[in-house]
Amino acid sequence: MTTTKFSRQRESIKEYLSTTKDHPTADMVYDHIKKIYPNISLGTVYRNLNFLVEQGSIIKVSYGNGSDHFDGNVLPHYHFICRNCSAIEDISLPAEAVEEFLHSADENFAGTIEASSTYFYGLCKKCSEK
């Protein structure tokens, strides 16, 4: 079993992601963490983000706009993506709805489903009000 050395920078990244609902990109995380650790490199931020994703400590949200976004909420939930401003928001659904959705997918697929990712698209509240 390999052990990973404790990293204050990594913990700061994880803490930041756990306190924001903005689903920041790596560049946004870098801009925030650089205020705490002025000498940190963008490469270090990328490596730590990838490590945290691999460890299951954060979620990577990739939806085709070219930039990965990161989410500190690892509990099961869905994402809404605004097709106008690209904002990402969490959507929480009742447990029964999620169970029914996953059960239906499992019944209609011959293999084994191990995970799922669903994105909802449309206009966020701000863009809808414009």
Side-chain angles (χ1 to χ4, degrees):
M1 179 168 131
T2 59
T3 57
T4 304
K5 191 168 88 171
F6 175 81
S7 164
R8 279 183 277 216
Q9 294 170 337
R10 184 180 309 123
E11 288 303 310
S12 292
I13 291 169
K14 186 177 170 184
E15 172 68 22
Y16 168 58
L17 290 173
S18 73
T19 61
T20 184
K21 299 225 181 264
D22 292 339
H23 302 83
T25 63
D27 288 337
M28 294 165 75
V29 173
Y30 171 70
D31 289 342
H32 177 82
I33 297 300
K34 193 164 178 66
K35 294 173 189 168
I36 303 165
Y37 298 100
N39 295 326
I40 195 169
S41 71
L42 182 57
T44 298
V45 170
Y46 270 101
R47 280 189 297 281
N48 279 297
L49 287 168
N50 287 325
F51 176 82
L52 290 167
V53 168
E54 289 171 12
Q55 296 299 310
S57 299
I58 64 172
I59 296 170
K60 184 188 309 187
V61 180
S62 304
Y63 63 92
N65 76 340
S67 296
D68 293 330
H69 295 255
F70 298 90
D71 188 350
N73 178 5
V74 296
L75 297 174
H77 67 285
Y78 297 94
H79 292 103
F80 171 85
I81 300 162
C82 180
R83 63 177 168 79
N84 186 53
C85 71
S86 298
I88 302 173
E89 298 179 30
D90 291 341
I91 295 180
S92 296
L93 297 174
E96 313 81 56
V98 174
E99 276 298 315
E100 178 61 31
F101 178 69
L102 295 175
H103 179 72
S104 180
D106 197 43
E107 280 187 340
N108 291 289
F109 180 69
T112 303
I113 297 174
E114 295 178 348
S116 70
S117 178
T118 301
Y119 300 130
F120 295 88
Y121 296 90
L123 293 176
C124 68
K125 183 177 180 179
K126 287 181 185 176
C127 290
S128 293
E129 292 174 349
K130 287 183 183 177

